[in-house]
Amino acid sequence: NAGVTQTPKFRVLKTGQSMTLLCAQDMNHEYMYWYRQDPGMGLRLIHYSVGEGTTAKGEVPDGYNVSRLKKQNFLLGLESAAPSQTSVYFCASRPSGILAGGPETTDTQYFGPGTRLTVL
Amino acid sequence: RKEVEQDPGPFNVPEGATVAFNCTYSNSASQSFFWYRQDCRKEPKLLMSVYSSGNEDGRFTAQLNRASQYISLLIRDSKLSDSATYLCVVNKPGGYQKVTFGIGTKLQVIP
């Protein structure tokens, strides 16, 4: 049981290049999220998904696209990278509905190890 | 006003000390509250939930004050291994369980 995995762990891009970050989870969770974390700021939600085939915008969606073709995978794409997208990207997942154990069981988000992206 | 506010610190405390962090939130309709721990260059991990009645787990105690809209985390008998950033997390009412993260409070326990 690997939990939430992210690939790649590190990447350096030049301005204008494109790339895709992959998030995979093996916990059969319905909800998945992409965040970015920057110094002096809390984690900010980029996009999220409440199930296979669905996606929605978060707080800072501009410049990013996502897809959730399979329940276990959530992809984050940068079509034309900009220096402002230099950040640490975290993927997270959590179950839906109400589970035994209360909010700590249902509402807890499980994070991947992160992808450090630098755009030059 | 930010949705979730935390003092970023750093809080430098000696081993064995007791330290407390507060976090204020702006949406009175929020229902779920958490403290996450984030080690340097690692992902956040759940430390504990914060229940209306308070929650204690070993040396850690979390409290919720709905009237004043803040949550607190108390760490007793600090260990070197407690050095980390502590993130306050509050749910966004309105479905799909989105949450707001505070910027985190950095704790450094010194020998």
Side-chain angles (χ1 to χ4, degrees):
Chain A
N1 188 335
V4 181
T5 58
Q6 291 182 234
T7 53
K9 288 186 169 54
F10 304 93
R11 186 74 185 267
V12 178
L13 290 179
K14 294 182 180 178
T15 297
Q17 288 184 317
S18 64
M19 76 165 294
T20 300
L21 284 68
L22 171 63
C23 175
Q25 53 96 3
D26 60 4
M27 297 176 282
N28 202 35
H29 287 169
E30 289 291 335
Y31 297 168
M32 295 187 75
Y33 309 83
W34 275 108
Y35 294 92
R36 60 177 290 172
Q37 186 174 36
D38 302 291
M41 309 185 80
L43 279 86
R44 293 182 291 168
L45 183 64
I46 304 171
H47 286 280
Y48 64 100
S49 168
V50 299
E52 182 178 314
T54 73
T55 63
K57 294 180 180 179
E59 303 169 59
V60 288
D62 294 342
Y64 305 95
N65 56 74
V66 288
S67 64
R68 185 126 180 244
L69 299 179
K70 293 182 178 180
K71 185 177 183 179
Q72 63 268 34
N73 296 337
F74 195 27
L75 279 64
L76 178 71
L78 286 73
E79 289 186 348
S80 180
S84 61
Q85 294 177 305
T86 294
S87 188
V88 181
Y89 292 86
F90 288 104
C91 174
S93 72
R94 52 146 287 180
S96 65
I98 304 299
L99 300 178
E104 187 154 332
T105 304
T106 308
D107 295 355
T108 299
Q109 294 190 17
Y110 297 84
F111 284 83
T115 295
R116 296 184 177 278
L117 175 66
T118 301
V119 183
L120 303 175
Chain B
R1 183 180 175 185
K2 288 184 180 179
E3 291 183 62
V4 177
E5 293 201 66
Q6 290 185 258
D7 181 343
F11 284 60
N12 297 312
V13 302
E15 269 187 291
T18 295
V19 61
F21 310 133
N22 282 344
C23 163
T24 59
Y25 61 94
S26 62
N27 193 330
S28 60
S30 294
Q31 295 292 325
S32 302
F33 309 89
F34 308 89
W35 285 103
Y36 277 68
R37 171 189 169 131
Q38 186 173 25
D39 293 300
C40 187
R41 302 178 76 84
K42 299 285 190 179
E43 72 272 25
K45 292 183 179 178
L46 179 71
L47 177 66
M48 59 198 309
S49 298
V50 187
Y51 304 128
S52 295
S53 56
N55 189 19
E56 185 171 321
D57 183 4
R59 298 181 294 108
F60 298 84
T61 300
Q63 300 264 335
L64 168 63
N65 185 317
R66 286 193 184 275
S68 300
Q69 293 182 209
Y70 75 85
I71 66 172
S72 63
L73 178 67
L74 181 77
I75 305 175
R76 291 180 296 277
D77 189 22
S78 298
K79 311 291 185 189
L80 294 176
S81 57
D82 295 333
S83 298
T85 297
Y86 292 85
L87 308 177
C88 172
V89 182
V90 178
N91 85 306
K92 284 178 180 287
Y96 300 125
Q97 293 301 319
K98 290 184 286 183
V99 296
T100 301
F101 288 82
I103 63 172
T105 297
K106 186 171 183 178
L107 172 66
Q108 185 69 47
V109 181
I110 51 181

